[in-house]
Amino acid sequence: MNRGAPLKPADRPWVRMTMGAAQIVADAEALHLMLLPSPGDRYADAQLDDYGGSRFVWRPPVRLIVEARFSHPMETLVGTAGFGFWNAAAMPGALIGPPSAVWFFFASPPSRIALSPADAGRGWLAMVWRSPTGPRLRIPGWLQQGLWRLLKAPPLARTALSLGARWMAVSQRPLEIDLTAWHRYVLRWERRQVIFEVDGEEVHRAPLAPPGPLGFVAWIDNQFLTLDPAAGLSAGLLPVPAPQALTLRRVEIESG
């Protein structure tokens, strides 16, 4: 048990990480993942995870319970944030595989993560992202950067994303709730579907689910990302005009 937010299971290797103008503050009741004011010239991230790089262990059936709130409403938050499971820790030297995620996800403009014109791609979303299973490779940082620069070229990006949309599946639903209020979020990751609940009400049922393994993550950062077959691929950093935070009062993961 950690001081601040109860973290269960207590025997997981919970890792708190900050980069740039960010900090993590624990008090008697909660864990505050915070971004500090910055001009957007450096990446900033406050993160809690249980995989420490690429040690992903969770497979369905899994139930995640998070009690959380944000410091600002959806209209004034910047960057991306959320909590759930993923496998895309693209750190230099980490093992990288086809990306999958099961999470509550926030993205501010100009982000748009959508493989279908019907997808909102930004705002506060219940989202599942499933890619075919494949080997995880250790790709050097210089090669990651080179591939990223190539994929940012508009014609190549549009082609890559159009092809990717044929073998990746995404299910998402925007959630119109007050992010500054406490909510109890439940994510039920099953073998064939994922069920999202907020305050005891089902808000989305995705008819697809990645097989795993994935790792838990909760974060808030100052980046934006566009993945859109029409608009292409782009990414960058946003200025943070005032302190903002994702506060966690409870994080509990149950397997089986």
Side-chain angles (χ1 to χ4, degrees):
M1 187 74 69
N2 289 29
R3 186 174 180 271
L7 303 175
K8 297 181 181 179
D11 60 351
R12 292 297 303 144
W14 297 99
V15 177
R16 302 177 187 183
M17 181 185 74
T18 61
M19 297 179 66
Q23 63 183 24
I24 298 177
V25 177
D27 58 31
E29 296 183 354
L31 193 66
H32 308 270
L33 309 182
M34 302 180 63
L35 292 186
L36 306 177
S38 68
D41 57 343
R42 290 184 59 199
Y43 179 62
D45 174 50
Q47 179 172 307
L48 173 73
D49 69 62
D50 74 345
Y51 51 82
S54 59
R55 296 187 297 273
F56 308 120
V57 301
W58 298 109
R59 297 179 184 272
V62 171
R63 183 173 76 149
L64 170 67
I65 302 170
V66 175
E67 293 179 2
R69 70 178 181 185
F70 287 90
S71 59
H72 290 68
M74 195 179 312
E75 297 74 21
T76 54
L77 279 174
V78 298
T80 75
F83 40 81
F85 302 95
W86 77 330
N87 68 343
M91 299 171 64
L95 292 171
I96 300 174
S100 292
V102 179
W103 54 19
F104 289 92
F105 177 84
F106 171 79
S108 71
S111 289
R112 186 168 188 268
I113 300 174
L115 296 180
S116 162
D119 291 336
R122 66 168 66 107
W124 186 227
L125 306 168
M127 177 186 283
V128 176
W129 182 292
R130 186 189 67 194
S131 298
T133 57
R136 285 161 51 206
L137 305 175
R138 199 175 303 277
I139 300 177
W142 63 267
L143 183 54
Q144 290 181 39
Q145 294 173 8
L147 290 171
W148 179 255
R149 282 194 290 269
L150 282 174
L151 286 173
K152 288 178 71 173
L156 185 57
R158 285 192 291 269
T159 300
L161 289 170
S162 295
L163 292 172
R166 299 179 185 179
W167 59 272
M168 293 185 291
V170 177
S171 177
Q172 57 177 261
R173 181 182 175 184
L175 306 178
E176 300 295 334
I177 62 176
D178 179 5
L179 293 186
T180 65
W182 285 110
H183 295 287
R184 183 178 186 268
Y185 298 91
V186 176
L187 185 157
R188 302 178 189 275
W189 173 22
E190 301 176 357
R191 289 185 175 88
R192 298 184 181 275
Q193 64 179 358
V194 182
I195 302 167
F196 296 84
E197 299 174 4
V198 179
D199 299 330
E201 263 188 52
E202 182 177 319
V203 295
H204 184 48
R205 184 178 293 244
L208 55 100
L214 305 177
F216 172 81
V217 64
W219 84 100
I220 185 167
D221 69 16
N222 70 332
Q223 71 176 338
F224 72 85
L225 176 64
T226 299
L227 288 171
D228 184 334
L233 174 66
S234 62
L237 304 176
L238 297 170
V240 180
Q244 62 182 42
L246 166 60
T247 297
L248 308 171
R249 189 166 65 182
R250 177 186 182 191
V251 176
E252 186 170 337
I253 307 173
E254 301 171 351
S255 181

